[in-house]
Amino acid sequence: MPIIDGGRNRANIARSEALLEESVANYRHSVLTAFAEVEDNLAGLRILGAQAQANEEALTSARRAAELANKVYQAGSAGYLELLDAQRDLMAIERTAVQLRGNRATTTIALIRSLGGGWQSQ
């Protein structure tokens, strides 16, 4: 063993401690990022669920309005344009419902991935 190493051993120890601190910081960053992703996806699912519930209420109302518009048209009390407007509104709300279901599915998959889950092909 050399008696005089010029501070090489202390420098190696300091370098090792710095690498350890860097590794710990990277790990903490990874963990915090994972928690943030899970929280974001859970919040997204909660928001999309509330939107879906509101959309279901609007869909029920739009269906009822389209039925009434059809009955009024069949009775001859309203024009075809009113019937088309009611049906167009119904279709727009149904399209929104389909988009919400797709967004919920996408967010659910993102949540599963952020929790570390996945699918294996068999």
Side-chain angles (χ1 to χ4, degrees), residues 22-45:
E22 179 185 13
S23 297
V24 168
N26 287 336
Y27 177 75
R28 284 183 183 158
H29 176 71
S30 298
V31 169
L32 290 175
T33 300
F35 278 127
E37 288 176 2
V38 169
E39 181 62 30
D40 290 346
N41 290 320
L42 285 172
L45 282 176

mmCIF file with all atom_site columns, all heavy atoms in Angstrom, residues 22-45:
data_model
loop_
_atom_site.group_PDB
_atom_site.id
_atom_site.type_symbol
_atom_site.label_atom_id
_atom_site.label_alt_id
_atom_site.label_comp_id
_atom_site.label_asym_id
_atom_site.label_entity_id
_atom_site.label_seq_id
_atom_site.pdbx_PDB_ins_code
_atom_site.Cartn_x
_atom_site.Cartn_y
_atom_site.Cartn_z
_atom_site.occupancy
_atom_site.B_iso_or_equiv
_atom_site.pdbx_formal_charge
_atom_site.auth_seq_id
_atom_site.auth_comp_id
_atom_site.auth_asym_id
_atom_site.auth_atom_id
_atom_site.pdbx_PDB_model_num
ATOM 1   N N   . GLU A 1 22 ? -26.615 10.356 -6.907  1.00 0.00 ? 22 GLU A N   1
ATOM 2   C CA  . GLU A 1 22 ? -27.239 10.472 -8.214  1.00 0.00 ? 22 GLU A CA  1
ATOM 3   C C   . GLU A 1 22 ? -28.236 9.326  -8.443  1.00 0.00 ? 22 GLU A C   1
ATOM 4   O O   . GLU A 1 22 ? -29.341 9.535  -8.929  1.00 0.00 ? 22 GLU A O   1
ATOM 5   C CB  . GLU A 1 22 ? -26.188 10.476 -9.313  1.00 0.00 ? 22 GLU A CB  1
ATOM 6   C CG  . GLU A 1 22 ? -26.775 10.581 -10.708 1.00 0.00 ? 22 GLU A CG  1
ATOM 7   C CD  . GLU A 1 22 ? -25.733 10.464 -11.797 1.00 0.00 ? 22 GLU A CD  1
ATOM 8   O OE1 . GLU A 1 22 ? -24.587 10.063 -11.507 1.00 0.00 ? 22 GLU A OE1 1
ATOM 9   O OE2 . GLU A 1 22 ? -26.078 10.750 -12.954 1.00 0.00 ? 22 GLU A OE2 1
ATOM 10  N N   . SER A 1 23 ? -27.839 8.122  -8.074  1.00 0.00 ? 23 SER A N   1
ATOM 11  C CA  . SER A 1 23 ? -28.724 6.967  -8.233  1.00 0.00 ? 23 SER A CA  1
ATOM 12  C C   . SER A 1 23 ? -29.979 7.117  -7.382  1.00 0.00 ? 23 SER A C   1
ATOM 13  O O   . SER A 1 23 ? -31.093 6.820  -7.832  1.00 0.00 ? 23 SER A O   1
ATOM 14  C CB  . SER A 1 23 ? -27.999 5.687  -7.864  1.00 0.00 ? 23 SER A CB  1
ATOM 15  O OG  . SER A 1 23 ? -26.920 5.457  -8.728  1.00 0.00 ? 23 SER A OG  1
ATOM 16  N N   . VAL A 1 24 ? -29.826 7.585  -6.158  1.00 0.00 ? 24 VAL A N   1
ATOM 17  C CA  . VAL A 1 24 ? -30.968 7.792  -5.270  1.00 0.00 ? 24 VAL A CA  1
ATOM 18  C C   . VAL A 1 24 ? -31.898 8.869  -5.847  1.00 0.00 ? 24 VAL A C   1
ATOM 19  O O   . VAL A 1 24 ? -33.121 8.713  -5.848  1.00 0.00 ? 24 VAL A O   1
ATOM 20  C CB  . VAL A 1 24 ? -30.497 8.157  -3.846  1.00 0.00 ? 24 VAL A CB  1
ATOM 21  C CG1 . VAL A 1 24 ? -31.647 8.656  -2.979  1.00 0.00 ? 24 VAL A CG1 1
ATOM 22  C CG2 . VAL A 1 24 ? -29.821 6.965  -3.198  1.00 0.00 ? 24 VAL A CG2 1
ATOM 23  N N   . ALA A 1 25 ? -31.329 9.946  -6.365  1.00 0.00 ? 25 ALA A N   1
ATOM 24  C CA  . ALA A 1 25 ? -32.142 11.017 -6.952  1.00 0.00 ? 25 ALA A CA  1
ATOM 25  C C   . ALA A 1 25 ? -32.892 10.510 -8.182  1.00 0.00 ? 25 ALA A C   1
ATOM 26  O O   . ALA A 1 25 ? -34.075 10.839 -8.375  1.00 0.00 ? 25 ALA A O   1
ATOM 27  C CB  . ALA A 1 25 ? -31.265 12.207 -7.318  1.00 0.00 ? 25 ALA A CB  1
ATOM 28  N N   . ASN A 1 26 ? -32.241 9.713  -9.003  1.00 0.00 ? 26 ASN A N   1
ATOM 29  C CA  . ASN A 1 26 ? -32.913 9.139  -10.179 1.00 0.00 ? 26 ASN A CA  1
ATOM 30  C C   . ASN A 1 26 ? -34.051 8.213  -9.769  1.00 0.00 ? 26 ASN A C   1
ATOM 31  O O   . ASN A 1 26 ? -35.119 8.220  -10.373 1.00 0.00 ? 26 ASN A O   1
ATOM 32  C CB  . ASN A 1 26 ? -31.914 8.395  -11.067 1.00 0.00 ? 26 ASN A CB  1
ATOM 33  C CG  . ASN A 1 26 ? -31.001 9.329  -11.825 1.00 0.00 ? 26 ASN A CG  1
ATOM 34  O OD1 . ASN A 1 26 ? -31.338 10.485 -12.051 1.00 0.00 ? 26 ASN A OD1 1
ATOM 35  N ND2 . ASN A 1 26 ? -29.847 8.829  -12.201 1.00 0.00 ? 26 ASN A ND2 1
ATOM 36  N N   . TYR A 1 27 ? -33.823 7.422  -8.736  1.00 0.00 ? 27 TYR A N   1
ATOM 37  C CA  . TYR A 1 27 ? -34.866 6.521  -8.246  1.00 0.00 ? 27 TYR A CA  1
ATOM 38  C C   . TYR A 1 27 ? -36.054 7.320  -7.703  1.00 0.00 ? 27 TYR A C   1
ATOM 39  O O   . TYR A 1 27 ? -37.207 7.014  -8.003  1.00 0.00 ? 27 TYR A O   1
ATOM 40  C CB  . TYR A 1 27 ? -34.298 5.598  -7.159  1.00 0.00 ? 27 TYR A CB  1
ATOM 41  C CG  . TYR A 1 27 ? -35.327 4.690  -6.560  1.00 0.00 ? 27 TYR A CG  1
ATOM 42  C CD1 . TYR A 1 27 ? -35.794 3.581  -7.258  1.00 0.00 ? 27 TYR A CD1 1
ATOM 43  C CD2 . TYR A 1 27 ? -35.860 4.943  -5.304  1.00 0.00 ? 27 TYR A CD2 1
ATOM 44  C CE1 . TYR A 1 27 ? -36.749 2.738  -6.713  1.00 0.00 ? 27 TYR A CE1 1
ATOM 45  C CE2 . TYR A 1 27 ? -36.814 4.119  -4.754  1.00 0.00 ? 27 TYR A CE2 1
ATOM 46  C CZ  . TYR A 1 27 ? -37.255 3.019  -5.456  1.00 0.00 ? 27 TYR A CZ  1
ATOM 47  O OH  . TYR A 1 27 ? -38.207 2.201  -4.915  1.00 0.00 ? 27 TYR A OH  1
ATOM 48  N N   . ARG A 1 28 ? -35.777 8.342  -6.905  1.00 0.00 ? 28 ARG A N   1
ATOM 49  C CA  . ARG A 1 28 ? -36.858 9.180  -6.375  1.00 0.00 ? 28 ARG A CA  1
ATOM 50  C C   . ARG A 1 28 ? -37.649 9.824  -7.504  1.00 0.00 ? 28 ARG A C   1
ATOM 51  O O   . ARG A 1 28 ? -38.874 9.899  -7.446  1.00 0.00 ? 28 ARG A O   1
ATOM 52  C CB  . ARG A 1 28 ? -36.289 10.256 -5.460  1.00 0.00 ? 28 ARG A CB  1
ATOM 53  C CG  . ARG A 1 28 ? -35.881 9.745  -4.112  1.00 0.00 ? 28 ARG A CG  1
ATOM 54  C CD  . ARG A 1 28 ? -35.391 10.852 -3.226  1.00 0.00 ? 28 ARG A CD  1
ATOM 55  N NE  . ARG A 1 28 ? -34.945 10.306 -1.969  1.00 0.00 ? 28 ARG A NE  1
ATOM 56  C CZ  . ARG A 1 28 ? -34.106 10.899 -1.155  1.00 0.00 ? 28 ARG A CZ  1
ATOM 57  N NH1 . ARG A 1 28 ? -33.608 12.088 -1.465  1.00 0.00 ? 28 ARG A NH1 1
ATOM 58  N NH2 . ARG A 1 28 ? -33.756 10.329 -0.025  1.00 0.00 ? 28 ARG A NH2 1
ATOM 59  N N   . HIS A 1 29 ? -36.948 10.296 -8.522  1.00 0.00 ? 29 HIS A N   1
ATOM 60  C CA  . HIS A 1 29 ? -37.619 10.906 -9.665  1.00 0.00 ? 29 HIS A CA  1
ATOM 61  C C   . HIS A 1 29 ? -38.524 9.891  -10.368 1.00 0.00 ? 29 HIS A C   1
ATOM 62  O O   . HIS A 1 29 ? -39.663 10.207 -10.728 1.00 0.00 ? 29 HIS A O   1
ATOM 63  C CB  . HIS A 1 29 ? -36.590 11.475 -10.645 1.00 0.00 ? 29 HIS A CB  1
ATOM 64  C CG  . HIS A 1 29 ? -37.191 12.044 -11.883 1.00 0.00 ? 29 HIS A CG  1
ATOM 65  N ND1 . HIS A 1 29 ? -37.911 13.215 -11.881 1.00 0.00 ? 29 HIS A ND1 1
ATOM 66  C CD2 . HIS A 1 29 ? -37.200 11.594 -13.159 1.00 0.00 ? 29 HIS A CD2 1
ATOM 67  C CE1 . HIS A 1 29 ? -38.340 13.457 -13.105 1.00 0.00 ? 29 HIS A CE1 1
ATOM 68  N NE2 . HIS A 1 29 ? -37.916 12.489 -13.904 1.00 0.00 ? 29 HIS A NE2 1
ATOM 69  N N   . SER A 1 30 ? -38.035 8.682  -10.537 1.00 0.00 ? 30 SER A N   1
ATOM 70  C CA  . SER A 1 30 ? -38.842 7.630  -11.176 1.00 0.00 ? 30 SER A CA  1
ATOM 71  C C   . SER A 1 30 ? -40.089 7.315  -10.363 1.00 0.00 ? 30 SER A C   1
ATOM 72  O O   . SER A 1 30 ? -41.182 7.168  -10.913 1.00 0.00 ? 30 SER A O   1
ATOM 73  C CB  . SER A 1 30 ? -38.016 6.361  -11.368 1.00 0.00 ? 30 SER A CB  1
ATOM 74  O OG  . SER A 1 30 ? -36.932 6.594  -12.222 1.00 0.00 ? 30 SER A OG  1
ATOM 75  N N   . VAL A 1 31 ? -39.937 7.213  -9.054  1.00 0.00 ? 31 VAL A N   1
ATOM 76  C CA  . VAL A 1 31 ? -41.070 6.907  -8.183  1.00 0.00 ? 31 VAL A CA  1
ATOM 77  C C   . VAL A 1 31 ? -42.090 8.038  -8.209  1.00 0.00 ? 31 VAL A C   1
ATOM 78  O O   . VAL A 1 31 ? -43.296 7.803  -8.340  1.00 0.00 ? 31 VAL A O   1
ATOM 79  C CB  . VAL A 1 31 ? -40.587 6.618  -6.742  1.00 0.00 ? 31 VAL A CB  1
ATOM 80  C CG1 . VAL A 1 31 ? -41.747 6.573  -5.761  1.00 0.00 ? 31 VAL A CG1 1
ATOM 81  C CG2 . VAL A 1 31 ? -39.799 5.323  -6.702  1.00 0.00 ? 31 VAL A CG2 1
ATOM 82  N N   . LEU A 1 32 ? -41.625 9.270  -8.119  1.00 0.00 ? 32 LEU A N   1
ATOM 83  C CA  . LEU A 1 32 ? -42.539 10.409 -8.140  1.00 0.00 ? 32 LEU A CA  1
ATOM 84  C C   . LEU A 1 32 ? -43.252 10.531 -9.483  1.00 0.00 ? 32 LEU A C   1
ATOM 85  O O   . LEU A 1 32 ? -44.440 10.861 -9.540  1.00 0.00 ? 32 LEU A O   1
ATOM 86  C CB  . LEU A 1 32 ? -41.786 11.699 -7.807  1.00 0.00 ? 32 LEU A CB  1
ATOM 87  C CG  . LEU A 1 32 ? -41.306 11.819 -6.358  1.00 0.00 ? 32 LEU A CG  1
ATOM 88  C CD1 . LEU A 1 32 ? -40.476 13.086 -6.178  1.00 0.00 ? 32 LEU A CD1 1
ATOM 89  C CD2 . LEU A 1 32 ? -42.480 11.797 -5.390  1.00 0.00 ? 32 LEU A CD2 1
ATOM 90  N N   . THR A 1 33 ? -42.544 10.234 -10.562 1.00 0.00 ? 33 THR A N   1
ATOM 91  C CA  . THR A 1 33 ? -43.168 10.259 -11.880 1.00 0.00 ? 33 THR A CA  1
ATOM 92  C C   . THR A 1 33 ? -44.250 9.190  -11.978 1.00 0.00 ? 33 THR A C   1
ATOM 93  O O   . THR A 1 33 ? -45.347 9.436  -12.504 1.00 0.00 ? 33 THR A O   1
ATOM 94  C CB  . THR A 1 33 ? -42.113 10.047 -12.979 1.00 0.00 ? 33 THR A CB  1
ATOM 95  O OG1 . THR A 1 33 ? -41.138 11.094 -12.896 1.00 0.00 ? 33 THR A OG1 1
ATOM 96  C CG2 . THR A 1 33 ? -42.731 10.055 -14.356 1.00 0.00 ? 33 THR A CG2 1
ATOM 97  N N   . ALA A 1 34 ? -43.984 8.009  -11.451 1.00 0.00 ? 34 ALA A N   1
ATOM 98  C CA  . ALA A 1 34 ? -44.966 6.929  -11.475 1.00 0.00 ? 34 ALA A CA  1
ATOM 99  C C   . ALA A 1 34 ? -46.202 7.305  -10.658 1.00 0.00 ? 34 ALA A C   1
ATOM 100 O O   . ALA A 1 34 ? -47.339 7.086  -11.097 1.00 0.00 ? 34 ALA A O   1
ATOM 101 C CB  . ALA A 1 34 ? -44.344 5.642  -10.950 1.00 0.00 ? 34 ALA A CB  1
ATOM 102 N N   . PHE A 1 35 ? -46.000 7.877  -9.471  1.00 0.00 ? 35 PHE A N   1
ATOM 103 C CA  . PHE A 1 35 ? -47.141 8.312  -8.663  1.00 0.00 ? 35 PHE A CA  1
ATOM 104 C C   . PHE A 1 35 ? -47.946 9.386  -9.384  1.00 0.00 ? 35 PHE A C   1
ATOM 105 O O   . PHE A 1 35 ? -49.180 9.379  -9.339  1.00 0.00 ? 35 PHE A O   1
ATOM 106 C CB  . PHE A 1 35 ? -46.681 8.841  -7.302  1.00 0.00 ? 35 PHE A CB  1
ATOM 107 C CG  . PHE A 1 35 ? -46.422 7.771  -6.278  1.00 0.00 ? 35 PHE A CG  1
ATOM 108 C CD1 . PHE A 1 35 ? -45.215 7.723  -5.613  1.00 0.00 ? 35 PHE A CD1 1
ATOM 109 C CD2 . PHE A 1 35 ? -47.387 6.827  -5.980  1.00 0.00 ? 35 PHE A CD2 1
ATOM 110 C CE1 . PHE A 1 35 ? -44.974 6.735  -4.669  1.00 0.00 ? 35 PHE A CE1 1
ATOM 111 C CE2 . PHE A 1 35 ? -47.160 5.837  -5.038  1.00 0.00 ? 35 PHE A CE2 1
ATOM 112 C CZ  . PHE A 1 35 ? -45.941 5.797  -4.374  1.00 0.00 ? 35 PHE A CZ  1
ATOM 113 N N   . ALA A 1 36 ? -47.272 10.307 -10.042 1.00 0.00 ? 36 ALA A N   1
ATOM 114 C CA  . ALA A 1 36 ? -47.970 11.366 -10.772 1.00 0.00 ? 36 ALA A CA  1
ATOM 115 C C   . ALA A 1 36 ? -48.798 10.791 -11.919 1.00 0.00 ? 36 ALA A C   1
ATOM 116 O O   . ALA A 1 36 ? -49.942 11.216 -12.148 1.00 0.00 ? 36 ALA A O   1
ATOM 117 C CB  . ALA A 1 36 ? -46.968 12.386 -11.303 1.00 0.00 ? 36 ALA A CB  1
ATOM 118 N N   . GLU A 1 37 ? -48.242 9.819  -12.636 1.00 0.00 ? 37 GLU A N   1
ATOM 119 C CA  . GLU A 1 37 ? -48.987 9.196  -13.737 1.00 0.00 ? 37 GLU A CA  1
ATOM 120 C C   . GLU A 1 37 ? -50.232 8.479  -13.225 1.00 0.00 ? 37 GLU A C   1
ATOM 121 O O   . GLU A 1 37 ? -51.312 8.591  -13.811 1.00 0.00 ? 37 GLU A O   1
ATOM 122 C CB  . GLU A 1 37 ? -48.092 8.217  -14.498 1.00 0.00 ? 37 GLU A CB  1
ATOM 123 C CG  . GLU A 1 37 ? -47.028 8.873  -15.345 1.00 0.00 ? 37 GLU A CG  1
ATOM 124 C CD  . GLU A 1 37 ? -46.092 7.863  -15.998 1.00 0.00 ? 37 GLU A CD  1
ATOM 125 O OE1 . GLU A 1 37 ? -46.301 6.648  -15.826 1.00 0.00 ? 37 GLU A OE1 1
ATOM 126 O OE2 . GLU A 1 37 ? -45.154 8.309  -16.674 1.00 0.00 ? 37 GLU A OE2 1
ATOM 127 N N   . VAL A 1 38 ? -50.095 7.750  -12.134 1.00 0.00 ? 38 VAL A N   1
ATOM 128 C CA  . VAL A 1 38 ? -51.247 7.043  -11.560 1.00 0.00 ? 38 VAL A CA  1
ATOM 129 C C   . VAL A 1 38 ? -52.302 8.046  -11.119 1.00 0.00 ? 38 VAL A C   1
ATOM 130 O O   . VAL A 1 38 ? -53.495 7.883  -11.416 1.00 0.00 ? 38 VAL A O   1
ATOM 131 C CB  . VAL A 1 38 ? -50.806 6.139  -10.386 1.00 0.00 ? 38 VAL A CB  1
ATOM 132 C CG1 . VAL A 1 38 ? -52.009 5.624  -9.610  1.00 0.00 ? 38 VAL A CG1 1
ATOM 133 C CG2 . VAL A 1 38 ? -49.961 4.984  -10.897 1.00 0.00 ? 38 VAL A CG2 1
ATOM 134 N N   . GLU A 1 39 ? -51.885 9.095  -10.430 1.00 0.00 ? 39 GLU A N   1
ATOM 135 C CA  . GLU A 1 39 ? -52.831 10.102 -9.953  1.00 0.00 ? 39 GLU A CA  1
ATOM 136 C C   . GLU A 1 39 ? -53.525 10.801 -11.123 1.00 0.00 ? 39 GLU A C   1
ATOM 137 O O   . GLU A 1 39 ? -54.736 11.033 -11.090 1.00 0.00 ? 39 GLU A O   1
ATOM 138 C CB  . GLU A 1 39 ? -52.117 11.126 -9.075  1.00 0.00 ? 39 GLU A CB  1
ATOM 139 C CG  . GLU A 1 39 ? -53.028 12.194 -8.515  1.00 0.00 ? 39 GLU A CG  1
ATOM 140 C CD  . GLU A 1 39 ? -54.112 11.652 -7.604  1.00 0.00 ? 39 GLU A CD  1
ATOM 141 O OE1 . GLU A 1 39 ? -53.890 10.624 -6.950  1.00 0.00 ? 39 GLU A OE1 1
ATOM 142 O OE2 . GLU A 1 39 ? -55.195 12.256 -7.561  1.00 0.00 ? 39 GLU A OE2 1
ATOM 143 N N   . ASP A 1 40 ? -52.782 11.138 -12.159 1.00 0.00 ? 40 ASP A N   1
ATOM 144 C CA  . ASP A 1 40 ? -53.376 11.779 -13.336 1.00 0.00 ? 40 ASP A CA  1
ATOM 145 C C   . ASP A 1 40 ? -54.412 10.880 -13.993 1.00 0.00 ? 40 ASP A C   1
ATOM 146 O O   . ASP A 1 40 ? -55.496 11.341 -14.386 1.00 0.00 ? 40 ASP A O   1
ATOM 147 C CB  . ASP A 1 40 ? -52.295 12.149 -14.354 1.00 0.00 ? 40 ASP A CB  1
ATOM 148 C CG  . ASP A 1 40 ? -51.406 13.288 -13.894 1.00 0.00 ? 40 ASP A CG  1
ATOM 149 O OD1 . ASP A 1 40 ? -51.772 13.980 -12.922 1.00 0.00 ? 40 ASP A OD1 1
ATOM 150 O OD2 . ASP A 1 40 ? -50.332 13.484 -14.509 1.00 0.00 ? 40 ASP A OD2 1
ATOM 151 N N   . ASN A 1 41 ? -54.089 9.604  -14.132 1.00 0.00 ? 41 ASN A N   1
ATOM 152 C CA  . ASN A 1 41 ? -55.029 8.682  -14.763 1.00 0.00 ? 41 ASN A CA  1
ATOM 153 C C   . ASN A 1 41 ? -56.265 8.434  -13.896 1.00 0.00 ? 41 ASN A C   1
ATOM 154 O O   . ASN A 1 41 ? -57.380 8.324  -14.419 1.00 0.00 ? 41 ASN A O   1
ATOM 155 C CB  . ASN A 1 41 ? -54.339 7.363  -15.112 1.00 0.00 ? 41 ASN A CB  1
ATOM 156 C CG  . ASN A 1 41 ? -53.361 7.527  -16.247 1.00 0.00 ? 41 ASN A CG  1
ATOM 157 O OD1 . ASN A 1 41 ? -53.627 8.230  -17.209 1.00 0.00 ? 41 ASN A OD1 1
ATOM 158 N ND2 . ASN A 1 41 ? -52.209 6.884  -16.133 1.00 0.00 ? 41 ASN A ND2 1
ATOM 159 N N   . LEU A 1 42 ? -56.085 8.365  -12.584 1.00 0.00 ? 42 LEU A N   1
ATOM 160 C CA  . LEU A 1 42 ? -57.245 8.213  -11.698 1.00 0.00 ? 42 LEU A CA  1
ATOM 161 C C   . LEU A 1 42 ? -58.149 9.446  -11.767 1.00 0.00 ? 42 LEU A C   1
ATOM 162 O O   . LEU A 1 42 ? -59.375 9.328  -11.820 1.00 0.00 ? 42 LEU A O   1
ATOM 163 C CB  . LEU A 1 42 ? -56.786 7.977  -10.252 1.00 0.00 ? 42 LEU A CB  1
ATOM 164 C CG  . LEU A 1 42 ? -56.232 6.590  -9.950  1.00 0.00 ? 42 LEU A CG  1
ATOM 165 C CD1 . LEU A 1 42 ? -55.641 6.553  -8.541  1.00 0.00 ? 42 LEU A CD1 1
ATOM 166 C CD2 . LEU A 1 42 ? -57.309 5.535  -10.108 1.00 0.00 ? 42 LEU A CD2 1
ATOM 167 N N   . ALA A 1 43 ? -57.531 10.620 -11.777 1.00 0.00 ? 43 ALA A N   1
ATOM 168 C CA  . ALA A 1 43 ? -58.325 11.848 -11.900 1.00 0.00 ? 43 ALA A CA  1
ATOM 169 C C   . ALA A 1 43 ? -59.033 11.891 -13.252 1.00 0.00 ? 43 ALA A C   1
ATOM 170 O O   . ALA A 1 43 ? -60.199 12.299 -13.336 1.00 0.00 ? 43 ALA A O   1
ATOM 171 C CB  . ALA A 1 43 ? -57.426 13.072 -11.723 1.00 0.00 ? 43 ALA A CB  1
ATOM 172 N N   . GLY A 1 44 ? -58.337 11.466 -14.297 1.00 0.00 ? 44 GLY A N   1
ATOM 173 C CA  . GLY A 1 44 ? -58.957 11.428 -15.621 1.00 0.00 ? 44 GLY A CA  1
ATOM 174 C C   . GLY A 1 44 ? -60.158 10.510 -15.666 1.00 0.00 ? 44 GLY A C   1
ATOM 175 O O   . GLY A 1 44 ? -61.196 10.850 -16.244 1.00 0.00 ? 44 GLY A O   1
ATOM 176 N N   . LEU A 1 45 ? -60.044 9.349  -15.041 1.00 0.00 ? 45 LEU A N   1
ATOM 177 C CA  . LEU A 1 45 ? -61.177 8.423  -14.999 1.00 0.00 ? 45 LEU A CA  1
ATOM 178 C C   . LEU A 1 45 ? -62.345 8.997  -14.213 1.00 0.00 ? 45 LEU A C   1
ATOM 179 O O   . LEU A 1 45 ? -63.509 8.834  -14.586 1.00 0.00 ? 45 LEU A O   1
ATOM 180 C CB  . LEU A 1 45 ? -60.749 7.085  -14.395 1.00 0.00 ? 45 LEU A CB  1
ATOM 181 C CG  . LEU A 1 45 ? -59.980 6.152  -15.317 1.00 0.00 ? 45 LEU A CG  1
ATOM 182 C CD1 . LEU A 1 45 ? -59.544 4.908  -14.552 1.00 0.00 ? 45 LEU A CD1 1
ATOM 183 C CD2 . LEU A 1 45 ? -60.815 5.774  -16.519 1.00 0.00 ? 45 LEU A CD2 1
#
